Amino acid sequence: MFITTTRLVAVGLMLVACSSSASPHTTPQETTAQDTPSQQRPQRSGPLTGGTADHAKFEVLQQAFESGPEVTEACLSCHTETGEHFMRNVHWTWDYVDPDTGQQLGKRHLINNFCTNARGNEGMCAQCHAGYGWKDEDFDFTDETRIDCLVCHDGTGTYYKTPNNEGHSACSVMFEDMAPLDLGEIARNVALPSRENCGTCHFNGGGGDNVKHGDLSTALIDPPHDLDVHMDAAGLNFSCTACHITKQHVWAGSRYKVVSRDTEGTGQPGERRDVATCESCHGLSPHPIDSIRAFKLNDHVSSVACQTCHIPEFARGGVATITDWDWRTAGRTRDGEGYHEHGYTQGNGEHRYTYKSIKGDFVYDEDIVPEYAWFDGQMHYTTIDTKFDDSQQPIEINGFDGSREDADSRIWPFKRMRTWMPYDAGNATLVYTHLWGVDDAAYWGNYDMGRAIARGMADFGLDYSGEFGFVETLSWWPITHMVAPKEDALACRDCHAAEGRLAGLEGVYLPGRDHSRWLDIIGIIAVGATLLGILIHALIRLFSKGEQH
Amino acid sequence: MAMRKVLIFGRFERFWHWSQMALIVILMLTGFGLHGFHDLFDFEVAVTIHMYAASALLILWMFSVFWLFTTETWRHFLPTGHGLWQVLRFYSFGIFRGERHPYRKAFWRKHNPLQALAYLMLKVVLFPLIWVTGLLYIFYFLWRDIPHATGWLEAVAMIHTGAAFAILAFAFIHVYMLTTGHSFREHVTPMITGFDLVELTPEEEAYLEKDQPAMIR
């Protein structure tokens, strides 16, 4: 517990900046040293589980390191090819060009409808870059010693990062007085990444615990069986990499390139398929055929993603997610100072801020029934380069296609995020907003949106009309974590019903949901008329002469 | 000519009739539940029962078709216009005036012309419509990738539902008919005991008494 809490506090401080969601703050000293199941038992990392070397015995690691890059140099002295491999992955590049649409994606470029953009705010946002010191355009992406091995491989739970530049004083105060890192100790205790390691960033995307994804929260650090059957700390205890299988530091399972329908299943015997799909372990007929039900469920695999039935709700486990965000109300101050308002107590008892001067208003929700839609795996992003028609709101930050007729499409669950966010009202484009910085144009300091946008755009030579407004946007997050035990999976009636979960889904005839109104009317009239005819016939018989017997 | 109690519904035919009745009732209850008309069963339970009952009924029908042709009893269902008008007229008017039913059961013609026509239509139109569409429905996974599969599925579902409505109307009339003429009980008894009053020719009577004594009382 001690270790986990240390990390959580660090995470809370670092990622959430001036807006730590957990309150009141716990300090490491206040918690008891109590082992959690995941620390007692190593997490299952899939086929890569090692055990051929004890890093504590490595000579090169028997030293007190002064800096992260020094540790990295030591790592690379044995792992000679790893630097080159690592530099190809998105944790390093933050850069991805969609091979099908040609769109320039990657955290470095994209705009999201949470804290809007990392670009120009790297001093803060690049804490979650797996490298050291990215604070502006001068970062050297070819320098292997800038790779941060420890953020993923720290096995002590004591490693943390702080923003790469200090930001406005109102925020930077949060990062003072952190316990000094013992880099030598950490280096000698490296391990395969645990859920805590990945979760440092991935559980806290969007500025706080579970804010962004809805299905990735700190509740997954030590999840009970009913929250996630695979990560269940007392059960299978999968680490993230058990599914997000890794080859040369490139991970399977990407939101940029979603495998919406896996038609290969487990592959050939002994074959390793570098995908994170359910089918790659469970095969294409995942329900053992011992009943009509199982037989029918296996039919569903071709049109319904596993996640649709097996993740009945997301944001479970006591940690809420943000579903609505309104930047229009950001910037209010009291006596010239920014402030927060509590307004939501989530399932695990923690309070969440529903207003922050630096970000605006939020709506939280938990145990959310997803939105469902046909999805072919291809996202189309509204990027900084996209001109949109602002009379057609909401604007989809990442729209997607899919239909019953498309062979790659299946019905998927989604988190829908709705945000009113700043945009260039003159050019009808999204904008880079300069939120974090040491200068006086940074919004998190001056609360002047116009200046922050002008600066954010000017820094990258982008055209800004000078007139900003707020646009209603949606983003769509395919739900794939928090897989419930099979007893909690959806029942047939959840969809096969008039007002079921798929009430609005088009392109398919769904028994139990769909009727021909006319056929039903004609059928009922025909049967009714038959009964009426019988009744009349019987009455006439009753009141006429009587029958021959 | 003599009226005698003769075995006209053999053991298999009675088994066929009553198990078919039970299966159709089960299929109607579960089917209209799946359709959304009531919530007596959980969807999963209803689908399971519906599929098992349908499979049982298909097997029963296979046996019945075999039986009809090997025993030559299919002839009972041959349509005939002879006497049809009189039967229709009887049910429309004569029955109210206390007339006598115009049809007399014969040993080789146990159904009246209207009955024979109705059962024939049930056998060659409604039942095939419902089982062919039912099988198409069950095996949807095999043809789901043909163009416009969901449109075809909808058509299949409509025909299946439409046939179910028609069979339901048939069943109501069928049961009501048992109340005409003789008492309800006297109409049902032959399908239980197998014996009913039949007008026999002297030759038939002599044959049955000599060679099939168990078939005549």
Side-chain angles (χ1 to χ4, degrees):
Chain A
M1 198 63 197
F2 175 87
I3 285 165
T4 306
T5 310
T6 309
R7 182 186 294 281
L8 283 183
V9 171
V11 162
L13 291 173
M14 293 182 300
L15 287 165
V16 186
C18 310
S19 55
S20 169
S21 61
S23 170
H25 291 144
T26 35
T27 61
Q29 289 74 25
E30 286 167 3
T31 58
T32 51
Q34 185 181 19
D35 277 347
T36 52
S38 67
Q39 281 146 12
Q40 291 159 354
R41 298 168 58 229
Q43 294 178 18
R44 218 179 280 203
S45 298
L48 282 184
T49 306
T52 56
D54 180 353
H55 286 81
K57 296 177 181 164
F58 281 25
E59 237 172 77
V60 69
L61 300 180
Q62 309 302 323
Q63 54 172 307
F65 295 98
E66 288 298 311
S67 71
E70 277 180 34
V71 179
T72 303
E73 268 184 74
C75 299
L76 293 173
S77 68
C78 291
H79 298 278
T80 56
E81 307 308 303
T82 306
E84 197 200 312
H85 293 160
F86 191 83
M87 285 177 162
R88 296 181 205 143
N89 78 42
V90 287
H91 286 168
W92 177 259
T93 63
W94 279 24
D95 189 310
Y96 181 84
V97 176
D98 190 301
D100 296 321
T101 65
Q103 279 198 304
Q104 173 66 66
L105 309 176
K107 293 185 103 56
R108 205 174 165 183
H109 307 279
L110 276 184
I111 292 172
N112 64 50
N113 59 356
F114 295 86
C115 286
T116 68
N117 50 293
R119 189 141 214 206
N121 299 312
E122 287 88 352
M124 174 68 199
C125 302
Q127 280 179 97
C128 275
H129 178 245
Y132 291 114
W134 181 7
K135 56 181 189 289
D136 52 36
E137 293 296 295
D138 297 329
F139 184 75
D140 183 359
F141 283 93
T142 63
D143 182 355
E144 291 187 358
T145 65
R146 295 291 198 118
I147 296 169
D148 182 351
C149 307
L150 299 179
V151 69
C152 302
H153 290 286
D154 168 35
T156 67
T158 60
Y159 187 78
Y160 64 83
K161 298 179 82 163
T162 53
N164 296 327
N165 66 23
E166 64 186 20
H168 192 269
S169 61
C171 294
S172 58
V173 66
M174 306 289 287
F175 303 98
E176 290 170 1
D177 301 326
M178 304 277 287
L181 291 174
D182 184 347
L183 291 172
E185 178 67 10
I186 294 168
R188 287 185 292 276
N189 287 286
V190 290
L192 288 170
S194 66
R195 294 187 296 271
E196 295 93 314
N197 293 105
C198 305
T200 305
C201 287
H202 291 281
F203 294 163
N204 291 283
D209 196 353
N210 205 19
V211 163
K212 189 181 273 179
H213 293 275
D215 63 345
L216 287 175
S217 76
T218 56
L220 292 172
I221 291 175
D222 278 311
H225 183 67
D226 63 357
L227 179 57
D228 190 291
V229 287
H230 301 108
M231 295 189 244
D232 174 13
L236 289 172
N237 202 20
F238 279 13
S239 68
C240 306
T241 51
C243 297
H244 293 275
I245 190 168
T246 311
K247 190 181 210 169
Q248 297 185 336
H249 277 91
V250 174
W251 295 269
S254 159
R255 276 169 202 281
Y256 292 137
K257 196 84 200 143
V258 176
V259 180
S260 53
R261 183 181 180 193
D262 184 342
T263 53
E264 289 178 48
T266 54
Q268 300 297 317
E271 181 188 359
R272 205 187 98 137
R273 294 197 51 225
D274 286 281
V275 292
T277 60
C278 308
E279 290 87 344
S280 66
C281 285
H282 291 281
L284 299 174
S285 297
H287 310 94
I289 302 176
D290 53 6
S291 63
I292 299 253
R293 170 182 164 277
F295 176 80
K296 291 305 293 178
L297 288 177
N298 281 342
D299 286 357
H300 283 63
V301 169
S302 48
S303 44
V304 181
C306 309
Q307 291 87 339
T308 295
C309 299
H310 288 279
I311 309 175
E313 291 167 354
F314 62 92
R316 305 200 310 276
V319 180
T321 189
I322 291 182
T323 58
D324 292 81
W325 186 322
D326 193 346
W327 277 92
R328 291 174 299 185
T329 57
R332 290 180 194 147
T333 54
R334 285 178 184 156
D335 306 324
E337 297 288 326
Y339 64 96
H340 327 298
E341 283 169 9
H342 291 295
Y344 186 88
T345 305
Q346 63 187 19
N348 67 4
E350 282 180 12
H351 299 287
R352 307 289 296 252
Y353 293 121
T354 50
Y355 178 77
K356 290 173 195 160
S357 300
I358 59 165
K359 295 179 178 179
D361 277 299
F362 316 115
V363 176
Y364 289 87
D365 201 1
E366 288 173 77
D367 305 322
I368 304 170
V369 172
E371 305 288 321
Y372 298 98
W374 291 103
F375 177 41
D376 64 5
Q378 182 68 60
M379 291 288 184
H380 302 278
Y381 284 82
T382 299
T383 68
I384 189 74
D385 303 317
T386 313
K387 249 191 177 314
F388 50 80
D389 178 357
D390 56 3
S391 69
Q392 298 296 311
Q393 295 184 31
I395 303 299
E396 289 186 320
I397 296 291
N398 59 336
F400 57 88
D401 298 325
S403 74
R404 166 62 180 78
E405 301 299 323
D406 172 67
D408 292 329
S409 294
R410 293 199 292 179
I411 300 163
W412 272 75
F414 291 89
K415 173 191 167 182
R416 182 184 55 205
M417 176 69 194
R418 185 186 301 273
T419 301
W420 284 90
M421 60 194 281
Y423 82 116
D424 182 339
N427 291 332
T429 62
L430 296 176
V431 289
Y432 286 148
T433 309
H434 183 56
L435 297 170
W436 175 273
V438 288
D439 53 86
D440 58 4
Y443 185 75
W444 291 348
N446 71 7
Y447 298 115
D448 183 341
M449 188 62 82
R451 266 181 83 191
I453 294 170
R455 173 65 189 274
M457 298 296 274
D459 276 352
F460 300 99
L462 294 162
D463 182 30
Y464 173 49
S465 70
E467 180 202 347
F468 77 91
F470 291 89
V471 66
E472 187 184 11
T473 62
L474 296 180
S475 62
W476 298 97
W477 300 84
I479 294 298
T480 193
H481 307 100
M482 298 188 176
V483 175
K486 58 186 170 192
E487 325 60 277
D488 296 341
L490 294 189
C492 311
R493 264 290 180 229
D494 288 314
C495 299
H496 290 277
E499 297 301 323
R501 291 192 178 207
L502 298 184
L505 187 91
E506 290 178 0
V508 68
Y509 180 86
L510 200 59
R513 180 194 74 168
D514 293 327
H515 304 255
S516 160
R517 213 173 122 251
W518 287 110
L519 179 67
D520 283 358
I521 289 171
I522 292 167
I524 290 167
I525 288 176
V527 173
T530 303
L531 289 172
L532 189 67
I534 287 170
L535 185 70
I536 292 168
H537 197 270
L539 285 173
I540 299 175
R541 277 168 60 204
L542 197 65
F543 294 107
S544 62
K545 284 184 184 171
E547 287 160 56
Q548 183 100 19
H549 287 279
Chain B
M1 299 287 264
M3 290 292 281
R4 293 291 301 271
K5 281 238 172 192
V6 177
L7 184 76
I8 56 162
F9 299 118
R11 198 168 289 142
F12 171 77
E13 205 170 5
R14 282 177 278 149
F15 167 76
W16 168 26
H17 176 270
W18 292 114
S19 47
Q20 174 169 296
M21 182 213 76
L23 289 170
I24 286 175
V25 168
I26 292 168
L27 286 163
M28 287 281 172
L29 277 174
T30 52
F32 281 115
L34 293 173
H35 192 63
F37 281 174
H38 64 78
D39 258 326
L40 293 176
F41 310 98
D42 178 59
F43 193 89
E44 183 185 316
V45 172
V47 168
T48 305
I49 296 174
H50 200 78
M51 298 260 283
Y52 278 124
S55 310
L57 190 54
L58 278 177
I59 293 168
L60 182 68
W61 281 340
M62 280 188 253
F63 276 103
S64 73
V65 168
F66 180 77
W67 178 86
L68 279 168
F69 284 97
T70 52
T71 60
E72 303 274 326
T73 34
W74 58 274
R75 293 171 191 218
H76 288 288
F77 301 97
L78 274 180
T80 172
H82 186 73
L84 180 63
W85 172 246
Q86 285 90 323
V87 175
L88 268 173
R89 201 197 143 276
F90 168 75
Y91 284 121
S92 309
F93 303 104
I95 189 169
F96 308 129
R97 296 195 194 129
E99 285 176 13
R100 192 168 176 268
H101 197 292
Y103 188 72
R104 288 287 158 272
K105 277 193 170 88
F107 187 56
W108 270 108
R109 195 72 196 185
K110 56 194 174 198
H111 303 306
N112 73 50
L114 184 64
Q115 256 185 314
L117 185 66
Y119 297 163
L120 182 70
M121 287 301 108
L122 193 65
K123 282 181 204 300
V124 301
V125 179
L126 285 184
F127 284 169
L129 272 182
I130 209 151
W131 67 253
V132 168
T133 52
L135 285 176
L136 285 170
Y137 220 144
I138 290 171
F139 290 100
Y140 176 59
F141 69 97
L142 292 178
W143 54 276
R144 71 178 297 283
D145 292 325
I146 68 166
H148 313 296
T150 58
W152 288 110
L153 180 66
E154 192 165 355
V156 163
M158 298 245 185
I159 296 169
H160 196 74
T161 314
F165 278 122
I167 292 169
L168 183 63
F170 172 90
F172 283 136
I173 297 170
H174 182 65
V175 173
Y176 174 66
M177 288 304 223
L178 299 179
T179 69
T180 64
H182 305 281
S183 73
F184 184 81
R185 195 169 141 264
E186 272 179 56
H187 265 309
V188 176
T189 308
M191 200 42 98
I192 296 167
T193 63
F195 284 89
D196 199 4
L197 277 174
V198 173
E199 209 156 273
L200 295 179
T201 60
E203 294 82 357
E204 282 170 342
E205 195 177 6
Y207 159 74
L208 288 171
E209 291 211 318
K210 181 156 191 303
D211 290 339
Q212 302 283 356
M215 287 180 68
I216 188 157
R217 284 178 184 172

